[in-house]
Amino acid sequence: MGTATHNAMSYFPIGNTRPVDVTLGCQVDKECDMLLLGCGDVRNVLHTIHELQTRGTTKSKDQTINIHLNDIEDSILGRDLILLYLAGTIDPNNSEDLKFLLGVWYDVLLSQEHLQRLKQVMKRVSLVQSGNNGVYFGNMKSEVSIKRALLGMEKFEMNGKQMRDTRWEFLNSLYRTNVPKLFMDWSTGQMVRPKVDLPQTAVDWITQRVSAQCGRLDKVQRLKDRYHQEIRDYITTGVTRVNLQSLSSKRVVDSFSGNMTLLRPGWNIWTVPDDCCPYLSHDIDLELHRYDGCKVTLASLCMEMLKKWVECFQAAMEDGCILKIYMWLGEATEVCEKDLPESLRFDFIDTSNLADKIGLVSVLSCSRNRLKQPNGVLRTESFDYTRLKGVVSVERYLSGCIDVPVLMYPTVFGLHLAEELSLGHESVPPTQFPLRTKLTLKWKTAREQKNLTAITLDEKASDAVSAALEKVKTCPGLDDQGPLGHVIKACVKSATENILQRVQNFAKATTKRNTLIEYTDHYLVTIQTDPECLKKGTVSMDCVDGDPYVMVLQNSHNGQSSFRQTLSLSCGIALNTSNVKVSRKRGKLKLVLSRMLT
Ligand SMILES: C[S@@+](CC[C@H](N)C(=O)[O-])C[C@H]1O[C@@H](n2cnc3c(N)ncnc32)[C@H](O)[C@@H]1O
């Protein structure tokens, strides 16, 4: 068996954040396409279906939902197939079935009964044909690799002791060397030296993170003690309370076997970070009032959530909604740029915290051309703030990723933020070790460049973009020296090239008579017309049909107009802070247009 160290590439078969509704609560079209890049486990798929079913969307006969899953690891997608197969076939009213699903999803060790059942499921899933049960392999490469990974898992066995030892070795290494030697406690302003004493340190960290998500748990000391004990049991035995029941740690190690879906095939060592656990990947807040630590445990609340997901997943398939799930194996940017069918576009792209792995710029660049126009929405997430030294603002995060003004994002990325930065982001709390702040941003496509009035970049703006891209090439904040360094560098290279190409395309077509120059915070437009048109009357500027992206400039004299110019811009314009200067003699108009953020 190999040696587990935290330096080995971490494996994420279990989510470490709460589930997300990929549709973000938006109304969806009759044919809705979703793409989950770096999807990890299938909690976001099941949670989204649950939300759509609750909202009635999937109950409609002519509704089609296409969900495209991508991950760089074949075994993660293989495991997703197993979990989806179980979600589609188990009986949600049978508690043994639910315990089995919970076990496969979260338990490090499985009872012999669960293990045998899992092996049968693996065999069946590895024979599945593309298109059966609504699951499709995006391409041959995905099908071959995912099936191979499934067969590899099915053949592999590890007894309870070996599994416990490799997991413990990894956690020891993780805690002993990954803990900062000193860290700032932002509440006291003191530097603190953390002690490492397993399993207590692990219990402290995980309970702190759970408590940060579900503050109410700590209010009653009796309940606090119980949930701390439940988490301690999970850390020490690797088995959730519903499957552990009253078995001792020794009994479990002696009679249970390793859950091979939690090991990367061929590695035989545990590499799953400590925060990949059910308590951090389920939204149990609303049911916490029922928690008593005995009959209702954290694990039983998670199992109830799974039951609801399974019920909705099965109901959605039975209700006549067409639900198709596609599997795309590969590096996310490559899948977007090379593997997906040329014309495939998405209403929703979710990227988990891929931005922490390959950089926000890479994620924006590869997703941009995969969004439907004009309403496609992209979600990015990041919780890697270590470089920001605790004090967090969205602006600092963004400028840490790429140092260009947010107002230039439509030009640079072809995307703009879908919400005001000040909305809901005013008080992003500082990252306070061992807690992490998750920053979610939503993006929409900017208007198609080909439909916009041609612009020139102001020299300073152009230099700013070039300098920012040079900095992006150094992979700021990314682990480009780690085992996935080559992947990160390739993603960043491709992203910077795409952006450069985009920006260069702008340089093309401005006419001599009219110029539209993009500055970092405004546009300067110069229009040359026949001086006769401007000699008399007034000149006005307005949005066309209330659209702040399209401006019409025209003169008016005795109710007649002899001059009219329309401008289509990549940012909305704030009319109240924009102005027009008219040089009547020379027939020249100079417009300073203030740009809006969203
Ligand atoms: C972004 S990671 C982090 C864990 C995540 N927060 C969660 O809760 O699952 C999630 C998944 O992304 C995958 N991944 C990492 N880098 C990738 C890449 N460049 N392309 C595609 N998938 C990637 C990992 O294999 C993992 O399964």
Side-chain angles (χ1 to χ4, degrees):
M1 199 186 300
T3 303
T5 80
H6 74 280
N7 289 325
M9 225 166 71
S10 291
Y11 191 49
F12 293 95
I14 299 174
N16 54 8
T17 53
R18 290 176 162 201
V20 170
D21 169 8
V22 174
T23 70
L24 303 165
C26 300
Q27 199 170 355
V28 305
D29 280 345
K30 281 288 167 209
E31 172 130 21
C32 176
D33 298 288
M34 306 176 201
L35 172 64
L36 285 78
L37 294 175
C39 65
D41 71 14
V42 286
R43 70 193 185 290
N44 292 341
V45 175
L46 295 179
H47 179 65
T48 302
I49 301 294
H50 173 260
E51 294 299 298
L52 293 179
Q53 183 73 7
T54 312
R55 291 186 340 233
T57 312
T58 38
K59 292 182 180 149
S60 148
K61 286 268 172 293
D62 49 354
Q63 180 69 51
T64 300
I65 309 274
N66 299 313
I67 302 181
H68 294 253
L69 300 182
N70 153 257
D71 205 284
I72 199 168
E73 306 243 19
D74 50 12
S75 46
I76 292 287
L77 291 175
R79 196 175 123 89
D80 287 349
L81 270 186
I82 295 172
L83 296 175
L84 288 171
Y85 173 83
L86 291 179
T89 53
I90 65 165
D91 175 0
N93 294 313
N94 178 333
S95 66
E96 287 310 311
D97 276 11
L98 288 173
K99 284 180 187 172
F100 175 55
L101 174 61
L102 187 82
V104 173
W105 203 318
Y106 299 110
D107 288 349
V108 179
L109 300 181
L110 298 175
S111 68
Q112 294 310 317
E113 193 193 337
H114 281 176
L115 183 73
Q116 292 318 316
R117 191 170 167 186
L118 173 59
K119 288 205 165 220
Q120 282 171 10
V121 170
M122 284 173 159
K123 269 197 194 125
R124 218 165 295 152
V125 173
S126 62
L127 294 174
V128 81
Q129 296 295 312
S130 196
N132 278 7
N133 309 322
V135 174
Y136 296 76
F137 295 100
N139 52 23
M140 203 55 161
K141 175 185 82 177
S142 303
E143 177 163 2
V144 170
S145 297
I146 294 170
K147 287 186 171 174
R148 193 174 45 218
L150 277 166
L151 287 173
M153 283 191 244
E154 193 263 321
K155 285 207 180 69
F156 185 73
E157 283 195 11
M158 190 180 268
N159 67 34
K161 182 174 176 319
Q162 288 170 321
M163 191 74 161
R164 182 200 61 188
D165 290 350
T166 176
R167 177 168 173 259
W168 215 236
E169 204 177 328
F170 176 81
L171 290 181
N172 253 302
S173 165
L174 177 83
Y175 281 97
R176 293 201 188 284
T177 35
N178 219 17
V179 182
K181 302 281 174 274
L182 284 173
F183 73 93
M184 169 68 86
D185 180 341
W186 295 97
S187 56
T188 60
Q190 304 283 313
M191 295 306 282
V192 178
R193 185 181 301 277
K195 281 199 207 106
V196 176
D197 171 24
L198 287 182
Q200 191 54 45
T201 309
V203 176
D204 288 346
W205 288 17
I206 298 297
T207 50
Q208 272 191 61
R209 286 176 183 170
V210 171
S211 151
Q213 286 191 359
C214 323
R216 275 176 293 164
L217 266 177
D218 285 352
K219 295 241 160 79
V220 182
Q221 186 63 39
R222 181 174 50 87
L223 297 183
K224 185 173 169 184
D225 293 344
R226 287 183 185 174
Y227 95 83
H228 279 227
Q229 185 59 42
E230 185 175 346
I231 288 174
R232 174 184 292 272
D233 288 348
Y234 180 72
I235 289 167
T236 48
T237 63
V239 182
T240 45
R241 217 15 112 63
V242 280
N243 285 319
L244 185 63
Q245 295 176 351
S246 55
L247 295 176
S248 70
S249 178
K250 178 164 179 351
R251 193 60 209 287
V252 170
V253 169
D254 289 346
S255 58
F256 282 34
S257 288
N259 178 350
M260 59 283 220
T261 70
L262 297 177
L263 297 176
R264 198 182 261 119
W267 279 44
N268 310 351
I269 54 168
W270 184 266
T271 46
V272 183
D274 57 330
D275 57 354
C276 293
C277 71
Y279 319 112
L280 290 169
S281 69
H282 276 280
D283 205 343
I284 46 181
D285 263 28
L286 292 177
E287 295 299 325
L288 271 184
H289 58 282
R290 298 198 289 114
Y291 174 80
D292 62 14
C294 289
K295 276 204 177 113
V296 183
T297 59
L298 295 181
S300 73
L301 288 174
C302 293
M303 195 166 84
E304 283 181 25
M305 200 65 247
L306 290 186
K307 176 176 158 61
K308 283 189 193 151
W309 285 354
V310 169
E311 283 168 347
C312 286
F313 186 60
Q314 295 184 359
M317 292 197 290
E318 280 156 20
D319 278 343
C321 152
I322 299 172
L323 179 60
K324 292 184 184 173
I325 299 182
Y326 295 81
M327 301 269 169
W328 295 96
L329 171 68
E331 198 289 307
T333 59
E334 280 193 18
V335 167
C336 282
E337 283 161 13
K338 297 186 190 140
D339 294 351
L340 293 171
E342 182 69 28
S343 60
L344 187 55
R345 299 283 182 277
F346 299 93
D347 301 274
F348 302 100
I349 301 183
D350 189 277
T351 60
S352 167
N353 68 324
L354 205 54
D356 289 334
K357 314 275 168 198
I358 57 170
L360 179 71
V361 173
S362 310
V363 172
L364 297 181
S365 161
C366 76
S367 307
R368 160 63 175 83
N369 289 339
R370 287 293 172 184
L371 281 173
K372 283 187 190 170
Q373 284 278 356
N375 291 327
V377 184
L378 164 70
R379 193 184 78 92
T380 60
E381 184 180 294
S382 181
F383 41 72
D384 194 355
Y385 285 118
T386 41
R387 67 174 182 279
L388 297 176
K389 307 261 184 308
V391 183
V392 172
S393 76
V394 187
E395 283 88 347
R396 274 196 65 187
Y397 164 68
L398 290 172
S399 64
C401 296
I402 182 165
D403 200 6
V404 294
V406 174
L407 281 171
M408 289 192 72
Y409 283 9
T411 300
V412 175
F413 297 118
L415 289 164
H416 59 83
L417 287 156
E419 56 201 344
E420 284 280 348
L421 278 186
S422 54
L423 273 182
H425 293 298
E426 298 94 334
S427 56
V428 182
T431 297
Q432 191 175 353
F433 181 83
L435 304 180
R436 280 184 313 209
T437 303
K438 183 173 114 175
L439 173 61
T440 296
L441 294 172
K442 293 164 203 148
W443 306 79
K444 285 194 75 173
T445 48
R447 307 217 166 173
E448 282 291 1
Q449 195 179 331
K450 63 178 188 307
N451 301 330
L452 301 179
T453 307
I455 63 163
T456 314
L457 282 189
D458 160 54
E459 208 174 305
K460 267 198 198 139
S462 177
D463 289 350
V465 173
S466 305
L469 286 179
E470 283 307 310
K471 210 157 132 209
V472 170
K473 282 186 195 157
T474 65
C475 305
L478 298 173
D479 183 16
D480 65 333
Q481 299 305 312
L484 282 181
H486 62 291
V487 174
I488 295 168
K489 284 178 190 149
C491 294
V492 168
K493 184 167 182 281
S494 154
T496 47
E497 281 169 7
N498 285 348
I499 293 171
L500 211 58
Q501 185 67 56
R502 252 191 90 73
V503 175
Q504 278 167 358
N505 282 348
F506 281 112
K508 284 179 188 164
T510 40
T511 63
K512 278 203 181 127
R513 287 170 66 79
N514 301 337
T515 58
L516 195 163
I517 304 178
E518 177 168 26
Y519 287 82
T520 52
D521 60 352
H522 68 277
Y523 296 111
L524 179 65
V525 188
T526 318
I527 296 168
Q528 180 70 58
T529 185
D530 180 353
E532 283 305 311
C533 297
L534 302 180
K535 264 196 179 144
K536 288 183 186 140
T538 54
V539 174
S540 65
M541 179 167 64
D542 255 313
C543 305
V544 175
D545 300 331
D547 181 351
Y549 289 73
V550 187
M551 296 287 128
V552 64
L553 195 71
Q554 62 187 338
N555 71 336
S556 169
H557 179 54
N558 293 337
Q560 299 279 318
S561 179
S562 55
F563 155 78
R564 185 184 162 91
Q565 177 81 42
T566 308
L567 301 167
S568 292
L569 305 152
S570 62
C571 269
I573 297 303
L575 274 177
N576 54 350
T577 46
S578 300
N579 64 65
V580 187
K581 278 191 187 138
V582 183
S583 161
R584 293 184 190 272
K585 258 196 202 153
R586 287 187 282 161
K588 220 175 194 172
L589 296 112
K590 234 182 189 181
L591 287 67
V592 179
L593 305 178
S594 312
R595 296 152 65 182
M596 297 194 295
L597 205 53
T598 55

